[in-house]
Amino acid sequence: MTRTIGRRLAVALACLAVAPGSGFGEDAIATVVHARTGNGYKREMTKKGTFKPEYYALSNGGRVKGTAADLTVDKVSFPDVAGIAMRLLSQQNYHYAQREDQAGLLLVIQWGNTIAPNGTNKEMNVNAASSALTSLLSLQREFKLSSSELAGSGPSVPFASTESAALGYEANYFESMMARLLADNRMRDEINGYNARLLGYGAEIIESNDIRRWAGGGDRYTDLIADVEEARYYIIITAYDFEELKKHNKMKQLWITRVSVRAPGNRFDESLVAMMKGASKYFGQDSGRLIRGEESR
């Protein structure tokens, strides 16, 4: 951990100039933003009602562990991302420090795409379990078994050995397919949970997973899960207390802004500007919830 912090500090101190990014495009893309502040951080205002200027150093955080990068992510360099970020940060009165002693914040930028659960595996497992159940119920009808007898809890029935073997095989096969399906569901839940936390969806998924799902409260939970089960491009900008890092080698988080867009149908290199524009409105602020919007590319 100390070595990682040291590397970030070295990169931040060395990175004194970053090339500007590409220009803004014409068409729009749907963005989702989530921002949080912490550790008592709050922007101060001037008498004119604008934010007081703050100064930062910049660091390349790379991909978040457990995420990936496709070809369109790999086409984008840190100077590309940082140049766009710096331009938009300045609009919120965050300015790049020209000297080490001027920086009050260390901004760490991370980007990539989330890894979606394997939908093909889910479909195959569901189909296999459904087929196994159909075969088992067919034997139940053929052998005229009650449900309790089929489950093995009722009285034994004097079948011929071939029939007993067939029934045992189908029952065991159905059980194994259900176990595989449950294991796949657990893995899917773990991936969804990780993606939800990464993208800032966690709290709203938990809040929407209540009685409203079954009492005509709409499809919000389903929609949120559909989002995190789909690969999404993300950018995360995290602000740390630079003085705390220099003096005590501790990463004290002050604010974090996350933005994401659907990966299917989009390219990261063409979505970068729109994502940053959506995120910039909440740099150093608390969005309170997921913010959906549209931004020009």
Side-chain angles (χ1 to χ4, degrees), residues 41-88:
Y41 179 85
K42 186 176 182 180
R43 298 213 66 182
E44 296 183 25
M45 307 295 290
T46 66
K47 292 181 179 179
K48 295 181 179 180
T50 59
F51 291 126
K52 286 187 176 180
E54 296 185 55
Y55 296 88
Y56 63 87
L58 203 58
S59 176
N60 179 2
R63 292 198 302 276
V64 176
K65 182 179 179 181
T67 65
D70 63 19
L71 293 177
T72 71
V73 172
D74 286 337
K75 286 184 66 175
V76 177
S77 67
F78 177 60
D80 294 329
V81 178
I84 297 169
M86 291 170 66
R87 184 171 55 192
L88 293 168

Side-chain angles (χ1 to χ4, degrees), residues 267-278:
R267 295 173 53 97
F268 182 77
D269 54 342
E270 295 176 353
S271 306
L272 171 60
V273 172
M275 293 172 71
M276 279 293 191
K277 286 171 66 179

Side-chain angles (χ1 to χ4, degrees), residues 97-125:
Q98 301 303 308
R99 306 180 311 277
E100 177 184 343
D101 62 357
Q102 188 182 32
L105 302 171
L106 169 63
L107 302 187
V108 178
I109 305 179
Q110 296 172 284
W111 69 97
N113 54 270
T114 59
I115 300 174
N118 192 320
T120 302
N121 279 354
K122 178 182 179 180
E123 184 177 354
M124 290 175 60
N125 289 332

Side-chain angles (χ1 to χ4, degrees), residues 80-155:
D80 294 329
V81 178
I84 297 169
M86 291 170 66
R87 184 171 55 192
L88 293 168
L89 282 160
S90 67
Q91 295 177 10
Q92 303 298 327
N93 231 357
Y94 285 111
H95 302 286
Y96 190 73
Q98 301 303 308
R99 306 180 311 277
E100 177 184 343
D101 62 357
Q102 188 182 32
L105 302 171
L106 169 63
L107 302 187
V108 178
I109 305 179
Q110 296 172 284
W111 69 97
N113 54 270
T114 59
I115 300 174
N118 192 320
T120 302
N121 279 354
K122 178 182 179 180
E123 184 177 354
M124 290 175 60
N125 289 332
V126 168
N127 289 340
S130 176
S131 177
L133 178 60
T134 299
S135 297
L136 188 58
L137 293 177
S138 178
L139 284 181
Q140 178 189 18
R141 291 190 296 270
E142 181 180 347
F143 298 155
K144 297 181 174 59
L145 288 174
S146 66
S147 296
S148 60
E149 289 169 334
L150 182 65
S153 59

